[in-house]
Amino acid sequence: MVSTEKDPNTLAQVAIVDFDGHVLLNEYVKPDSEVKNYRSSITGIRSKHLKNAKSFPQVQALVKNIIEDKIVVGHSISHDLKALDLQLDQEKVRDTQKLFKAKTQVKAVSLQKLSFDVLGKVIQLGKHCPVEDARSTIEIFKALF
């Protein structure tokens, strides 16, 4: 997410992996208004990444095509779906945060903490990588469920 004139939380990168962690999509998204803050220290995104990026509608269409008729696994996935302006049948959604909470009665747990506690992996040191986050999420899902 980057901060733009229109929205302080504008989608700027999307990553999707399959059940085995293979990258199906890793795309930058060109915001439709001027970026005010790239949050580069967190996102790693710079102006050069978005210069020739696909538009939001283009990336949204790619995502829709990939996830059509699939079970979608994510961590706090409602945030991702909101950013993509997508609504999915809840029967097709698996949210590792909600599943972990239901299984353990523990309140919301970050992906970073869950990855360390369940997988023994340290993630999100420095910049967040959407591919690393997606792979960690699917690994957590497989380990716990």
Side-chain angles (χ1 to χ4, degrees):
M1 299 285 201
V2 296
S3 179
T4 66
E5 286 181 333
K6 289 184 180 179
D7 185 350
N9 294 302
T10 300
L11 186 67
Q13 189 175 6
V14 176
I16 300 174
V17 300
D18 66 13
F19 198 71
D20 296 316
H22 300 117
V23 177
L24 301 177
L25 181 73
N26 185 18
E27 287 286 343
Y28 290 105
V29 183
K30 188 171 192 153
D32 64 356
S33 63
E34 184 181 345
V35 176
K36 294 296 185 182
N37 186 347
Y38 288 92
R39 299 178 185 151
S40 297
S41 63
I42 299 168
T43 65
I45 296 172
R46 303 202 179 284
S47 61
K48 67 181 181 180
H49 297 119
L50 303 182
K51 185 177 180 186
N52 296 312
K54 290 182 169 78
S55 69
F56 177 83
Q58 289 173 309
V59 174
Q60 184 189 47
L62 290 171
V63 170
K64 282 181 181 179
N65 186 53
I66 291 169
I67 67 173
E68 184 177 20
D69 299 323
K70 307 255 184 351
I71 300 293
V72 180
V73 177
H75 187 81
S76 297
I77 196 166
S78 62
H79 299 289
D80 299 319
L81 296 174
K82 182 179 178 185
L84 286 160
D85 195 23
L86 294 176
Q87 295 178 352
L88 299 179
D89 177 357
Q90 290 305 300
E91 295 291 319
K92 300 238 179 222
V93 175
R94 305 294 183 271
D95 188 319
T96 54
Q97 186 178 69
K98 288 181 181 179
L99 292 167
F100 184 76
K101 182 179 177 183
K103 187 173 185 171
T104 64
Q105 304 306 311
V106 174
K107 284 192 167 188
V109 177
S110 71
L111 179 60
Q112 185 179 40
K113 180 167 177 29
L114 202 53
S115 182
F116 183 76
D117 291 350
V118 174
L119 305 173
K121 284 179 53 178
V122 177
I123 64 166
Q124 299 176 344
L125 288 176
K127 297 170 183 65
H128 287 219
C129 172
V131 172
E132 178 184 52
D133 289 355
R135 284 181 172 148
S136 294
T137 299
I138 199 68
E139 287 178 38
I140 289 165
F141 180 78
K142 291 193 286 190
L144 291 177
F145 312 103

